[in-house]
Amino acid sequence: MNDFSYVQAASTKDAARLRKDTPTAAYIAGGTTLLDLMKAHLQEHPQLIDINRLPFKGIEQTKDGLRIGALETMSDVGEHPLVVQQFPAVSQSLLLAASPQLRNMASIGGNILQRTRCGYFRDPAFPCNKRIPGSGCPALDGDNHNLAILGVSDSCIANSYPGDFSVALAAFDAVLTLENQKGRQRRVPLTDFYRLPGNTPHLETILEPGELIVAVTLPPAAHAQRSTYLKVRERSSYAYALASAAVGLDVQGGTIRTARVALGGVGAQPWRSREAERALVGQPATEATFRAAAATALQGAQPREHNRYKVELAQNTLVRALQQMTSS
Ligand code: SF4
């Protein structure tokens, strides 16, 4: 890790001023993602600006939905009664991630900004288009067993966001509030926040330099109250998803009225499947319907040699999650 100075920002204005003085400085909250990246020399910053004193806390009901401050921890959000009652899938996505120690430290803003676990990206001995644009992608014909099959390109097949929380946010139409260095705020749907790799995989989000995530807002919906997050991983104690599904269903009289579907572990970004949702709505809540929707969700998959298994795994994960929603 490079040497760096550390400073606490007293206010949002102060944070913006500090960042303006040192444009290559980084904001730090829980530090569980950033310090990992710095230790691996994947990011180097001469200064870290601690933003924990900024007023980005609180979980409250607003006219737009449930508003969650970006500095709330994964544990506090996952266990909050309003989140558990109104968005069970969001709560589960947080509590199934990482370890209790990490969940107690990590902010949800930092969680949203996690970076890929692609082994070639994490090892500076290898070329990597995401780390050094134009250097190549050894994962295309190398070890790609845990990489993406949807939304990928010839430049990069990584799951840019490897976590769980943003998958649930994508399913339930979450909106991010961002604030730039001039204090101007804008609201961006989570599904528009991440960029697909195309031929610029080093550009991962639409966040501008110095811009901060202030809050996440989840609009209320019947399908969100009846929702679940199912995660399949190599070991149940602590691992990223090989495949996961965030689903919400509103079923009346045996017919699906509204549905939300997002997949994790298989997309270059948290993968909202509006195709699968269309295949579910208006249909009877049966296994045949779920299987048809799962096949639709994976229709555009572009698997490579070692991640071919993910097509069937993701389909089965989605079907099981939908069955869980209708079995009780
Ligand atoms: Fe880098 Fe993406 Fe290729 Fe991994 S898949 S080596 S992150 S370019």
Side-chain angles (χ1 to χ4, degrees), residues 116 118 120-121 127-130 136-139 147 155-158 201:
T116 183
C118 172
Y120 300 110
F121 170 78
C128 166
N129 286 329
K130 189 181 275 299
C137 174
L147 299 182
S155 296
C156 179
I157 56 170

Side-chain angles (χ1 to χ4, degrees), residues 3 41 60 77 94 111 133 157 190 223 307:
D3 290 342
H41 297 282
E60 54 179 344
V77 177
L94 287 163
N111 181 299
I157 56 170
L190 186 284
H223 50 245
N307 63 7

Side-chain angles (χ1 to χ4, degrees), residues 10 72 90 104 191 208 261 289 308:
E72 291 289 342
V90 174
N104 287 341
T191 46
E208 290 170 3
V261 173
T289 298
R308 212 166 288 284

Side-chain angles (χ1 to χ4, degrees), residues 116-122 126-132 135-140 143-144 147-148 153-160 197 201-202 204:
T116 183
R117 307 305 298 186
C118 172
Y120 300 110
F121 170 78
R122 298 252 158 193
F126 288 94
C128 166
N129 286 329
K130 189 181 275 299
R131 194 164 18 81
I132 305 168
S135 63
C137 174
L140 294 175
D143 178 6
N144 46 44
L147 299 182
S153 73
D154 289 342
S155 296
C156 179
I157 56 170
N159 323 57
S160 256
H202 58 292
E204 297 174 341

